[in-house]
Amino acid sequence: MSQISKNNILSSIMVMEHYQANFKKCEINSMERYSDYFGMEQESRSLLNDNHMYKIYLFEKRNEGRKACTYASILMHFAVRYESVDTIDTFLASLDKNAMTSWSLMALLRTTYSYRRRISQWDKLYKVTYDQIEEEGLSPKRELYGLDA
């Protein structure tokens, strides 16, 4: 395994360990929610805060797709828990999907799958993700297994 692969795996593990260590804090004090987990100011608790999109785009631009994917997954986990479905729908509509890798797009699909019938943007996100996976030369049927829109 190359040093880069080891670093990516270690980085992903560190993010998940940090998430797990701080999860109880987020659970106990719902006023802190996910924004405090991500180190944001108290005023920026909403999913619609541009900082969330910026962080995803920044990870993607730095070629840190795994971090972007992890961030998107954790963000959606807390969003599903604390935000309205309409807020999630608006967030998905606002995302620049062209600035994201298929990894992050798949994470968004998988973490919101249970609510797909209530999120009007879900089918559009599925189509964009399907097309992007196909453009990457991968099998959308395999990569999106279980997510048939």
Side-chain angles (χ1 to χ4, degrees):
M1 183 178 292
S2 72
Q3 187 61 34
I4 294 173
S5 295
K6 286 179 185 176
N7 288 343
N8 284 342
I9 291 169
L10 289 174
S11 178
S12 295
I13 290 170
M14 287 172 31
V15 169
M16 291 309 293
E17 284 175 351
H18 180 74
Y19 164 69
Q20 289 171 348
N22 286 285
F23 182 74
K24 291 202 186 304
K25 175 182 167 188
C26 294
E27 279 284 292
I28 293 166
N29 187 352
S30 63
M31 290 301 292
E32 289 180 6
R33 295 197 191 178
Y34 55 85
S35 60
D36 287 341
Y37 166 73
F38 289 113
M40 310 242 167
E41 307 237 348
Q42 276 192 333
E43 306 87 54
S44 62
R45 291 199 175 124
S46 174
L47 172 64
L48 298 178
N49 182 301
D50 288 338
N51 284 334
H52 293 304
M53 286 184 225
Y54 174 75
K55 279 198 171 190
I56 293 171
Y57 300 152
L58 186 63
F59 286 136
E60 296 286 13
K61 188 173 178 95
R62 290 180 180 164
N63 201 23
E64 296 177 312
R66 288 183 182 172
K67 285 183 183 178
C69 176
T70 302
Y71 189 90
S73 294
I74 295 169
L75 182 63
M76 284 298 109
H77 168 77
F78 283 108
V80 163
R81 199 171 219 161
Y82 296 113
E83 301 280 351
S84 72
V85 173
D86 291 337
T87 305
I88 296 168
D89 201 40
T90 303
F91 178 79
L92 294 178
S94 302
L95 281 175
D96 178 3
K97 290 134 189 103
N98 294 321
M100 300 175 66
T101 61
S102 60
W103 277 49
S104 297
L105 295 173
M106 285 187 285
L108 292 171
L109 285 172
R110 292 196 181 283
T111 54
T112 57
Y113 179 76
S114 298
Y115 302 92
R116 72 190 180 283
R117 298 291 174 236
R118 294 174 38 207
I119 300 172
S120 67
Q121 293 294 315
W122 198 91
D123 289 335
K124 292 175 189 171
L125 179 63
Y126 181 91
K127 175 73 171 119
V128 167
T129 306
Y130 188 99
D131 292 345
Q132 186 166 337
I133 291 169
E134 206 166 46
E135 286 174 20
E136 293 171 0
L138 300 171
S139 168
K141 292 285 186 195
R142 190 177 78 219
E143 298 298 325
L144 297 173
Y145 184 79
L147 295 178
D148 296 318

